[in-house]
Amino acid sequence: MNYQSTNGSSPAVSLQQAVLNGLAPDGGLYMPSEIPHVSPEFIGAMDSLSFQDIAYIFGAPYFLDSVPGFEYRRIVDESFNFDVPLVQLDRDSWVLELFHGPTLAFKDFAARFMARLMAHYAQEFDQRITVLVATSGDTGSAVAHGFLGVDKIDVVILYPSGRVSVMQEKQLTTMGQNITALEVQGSFDDCQAMVKTAFLDPELAQRMKLASANSINIARLLPQMFYYIFLCSRLRPQWMPITVSVPSGNLGNLTAGLMAKRMGAPIQHFIAANNNNDTLAQYLRTGVFHPKPSVSTVSNAMDVGNPSNFARMQALYNNDVEAMRHDVIGYSFTDGQTTRAIATTYKQYGYIMDPHGAVGYLALQEYQQMHSSCTGVIVETAHPAKFADVVEPAIGQTVPMPDRLGAYAARAKQSIVIGNTFEDLKTFLTSKH
Ligand SMILES: *Cc1c(COP(=O)(O)O)cnc(C)c1O
């Protein structure tokens, strides 16, 4: 399988090049050059296969010509070594819980897979790879945790000092081993600019192999298809139309769902659930894509005003908004509606939603009012304990903290404080190599 740029003016490349490049030279994002199709009956017949088996089978066309079969099997088995429960709320509504990985958010799926794939390439070339990540909070911990203890990879996380939550900082700074946390005396934008400049610096390029682990990397997109196919195998949707509500920010999760549908996953509709950062919902309503500065909300992992994976959605639908509307409908909700939904779902079902899942719940409700007797699935992207400051006041009681989150709180922070310029980063990187 080759990978081509959404901008169409750089040559198609192998998976390995797409993963190590991150962004295509023409500034576009990589997409597989074709999306193979399988029959829905085939997916329906997979109800007794494990998540890993399904990931192995459906990932095969994308990965097997670049990675030996036994290696690919190991990558899949190690990456997805946690539960993916499907919880029923009422007759027509289900929750697909994607937060049972080590950092309690769905980003674990993609981050763990990408880490092992990159490690495979590092091994193949017998070269160390330094992964740079700028983070405003959650992405950094999922990515760093994915790479923790992975051979031949060093991870350098840049985060803005004093601007992440206490729990997020603990998750970023207490891992040790091959993970280094740089506490930047500046903003998230400074961190991002430092990383961007590093990738363009010829001297660094000569001294070390740098790679990016941010969400535009194709290795983070593809593994997110697997849980949509897994969902269909469990709900056997060939007997009924199902609709999936996806809490959306940078649109990687939604794009992967649409690719799974293109592969044959029998999902009738997707719902793009936005908070007040409603660029996509607006686009679906008006046909005009109008990026805007992000505003902060209680579902902060979706505070994205200019979603980067929109280019991939456009590529999937040949820039045809009508075609996209056939598959996706968008809704957006305020913080007030979100916290009330957390209270309601707790009262009604005894189920504790996190703020992102709550936006997904609201969107599904709105959809079901228009489409009666539709089976809906909410993709729950984070554990509610990660957002206890929002969830606890809404439900009027404490959220039990899973042991692995609590364990971080007990460990000592280890960070290296640096200034907010590229030169500061370069000095650090070159002193290590
Ligand atoms: C990243 C994230 C999202 C948004 O996912 P995208 O793929 O960027 O649309 C939603 N919820 C949580 C908890 C996240 O961490």
Side-chain angles (χ1 to χ4, degrees):
M1 177 79 72
N2 279 330
Y3 293 81
Q4 61 197 35
S5 164
T6 51
N7 284 353
S9 40
S10 10
V13 297
S14 66
L15 176 69
Q16 172 224 310
Q17 275 175 303
V19 171
L20 296 180
N21 288 353
L23 209 62
D26 64 5
L29 308 189
Y30 286 113
M31 279 290 269
S33 54
E34 59 178 307
I35 297 178
H37 191 267
V38 296
S39 75
E41 290 73 25
F42 184 68
I43 296 175
M46 303 178 91
D47 58 346
S48 61
L49 296 189
S50 69
F51 189 98
Q52 283 118 321
D53 288 338
I54 289 175
Y56 184 82
I57 293 167
F58 282 83
Y62 302 99
F63 300 106
L64 271 191
D65 60 359
S66 175
V67 183
F70 69 96
E71 275 286 306
Y72 175 53
R73 182 74 218 191
R74 185 187 55 75
I75 292 171
V76 161
D77 285 347
E78 288 180 11
S79 303
F80 310 125
N81 60 352
F82 48 86
D83 288 341
V84 190
L86 185 59
V87 177
Q88 187 161 22
L89 292 184
D90 60 26
R91 198 196 59 185
D92 295 326
S93 310
W94 301 73
V95 180
L96 182 67
E97 294 187 346
L98 298 182
F99 55 75
H100 293 270
T103 71
L104 304 166
F106 86 104
K107 290 191 173 69
D108 284 326
F109 283 89
R112 293 172 68 73
F113 187 95
M114 174 177 61
R116 283 160 182 79
L117 188 63
M118 274 193 190
H120 165 74
Y121 293 134
Q123 209 75 42
E124 196 170 86
F125 300 115
D126 194 23
Q127 189 182 18
R128 291 196 80 80
I129 297 178
T130 301
V131 174
L132 288 182
V133 212
T135 185
S136 55
D138 276 355
T139 303
S141 61
V143 167
H145 208 290
F147 283 103
L148 181 65
V150 170
D151 205 24
K152 285 200 163 25
I153 306 259
D154 300 305
V155 178
V156 178
I157 310 173
L158 290 82
Y159 74 96
S161 180
R163 303 195 198 188
V164 301
S165 76
V166 172
M167 193 47 105
Q168 282 172 330
E169 185 170 43
K170 284 282 186 184
Q171 282 193 294
L172 293 171
T173 58
T174 60
M175 271 181 268
Q177 298 186 50
N178 57 333
I179 314 291
T180 306
L182 297 182
E183 182 174 354
V184 174
Q185 292 175 304
S187 66
F188 171 62
D189 292 336
D190 295 335
C191 298
Q192 225 168 3
M194 291 160 77
V195 168
K196 263 197 180 142
T197 313
F199 283 113
L200 299 172
D201 189 79
E203 199 190 326
L204 281 181
Q206 267 204 333
R207 294 182 65 154
M208 63 187 76
K209 176 72 199 151
L210 291 177
S212 155
N214 67 16
S215 67
I216 50 102
N217 199 305
I218 188 69
R220 273 187 64 184
L221 187 75
L222 296 172
Q224 299 184 137
M225 282 192 294
F226 301 148
Y227 44 74
Y228 292 101
I229 294 161
F230 174 78
L231 165 70
C232 291
S233 78
R234 293 316 193 252
L235 268 187
R236 290 179 154 275
Q238 69 269 39
W239 311 121
M240 53 191 172
I242 70 164
T243 289
V244 180
S245 179
V246 185
S248 292
N250 244 328
L251 303 177
N253 202 358
L254 179 63
T255 303
L258 295 169
M259 289 170 65
K261 177 172 165 63
R262 196 63 68 85
M263 281 191 86
I267 297 170
Q268 191 175 43
H269 273 132
F270 278 89
I271 307 171
N274 280 160
N275 59 27
N276 273 340
N277 298 278
D278 61 350
T279 306
L280 182 71
Q282 288 281 4
Y283 169 75
L284 290 165
R285 260 197 300 279
T286 63
V288 181
F289 187 71
H290 185 60
K292 44 194 177 182
S294 62
V295 292
S296 56
T297 73
V298 292
S299 47
N300 61 22
M302 312 198 298
D303 294 350
V304 181
N306 186 8
S308 49
N309 282 292
F310 181 70
R312 286 188 166 122
M313 287 180 67
Q314 288 285 69
L316 268 181
Y317 293 95
N318 289 320
N319 301 306
D320 178 352
V321 66
E322 274 310 317
M324 196 189 289
R325 280 178 184 144
H326 195 76
D327 289 355
V328 194
I329 184 163
Y331 300 113
S332 65
F333 300 93
T334 64
D335 278 0
Q337 290 172 301
T338 306
T339 48
R340 279 196 296 279
I342 294 170
T344 312
T345 46
Y346 183 59
K347 228 183 264 146
Q348 213 166 329
Y349 309 112
Y351 190 88
I352 306 177
M353 290 255 171
D354 100 291
H356 306 81
V359 174
Y361 169 81
L362 285 163
L364 179 61
Q365 266 209 322
E366 188 151 338
Y367 179 91
Q368 282 175 329
Q369 273 160 19
M370 311 285 285
H371 305 73
S372 54
S373 80
C374 134
T375 300
V377 181
I378 301 146
V379 168
E380 176 51 297
T381 48
H383 191 290
K386 289 193 92 162
F387 299 92
D389 54 332
V390 178
V391 174
E392 290 180 350
I395 63 171
Q397 64 175 69
T398 56
V399 182
M401 189 187 295
D403 293 346
R404 56 196 183 289
L405 195 55
Y408 286 111
R411 292 189 218 152
K413 164 178 160 181
Q414 279 180 295
S415 68
I416 297 172
V417 178
I418 69 167
N420 66 345
T421 68
F422 167 64
E423 286 308 318
D424 295 303
L425 175 61
K426 189 169 177 175
T427 305
F428 168 78
L429 289 173
T430 47
S431 70
K432 280 192 69 181
H433 293 266

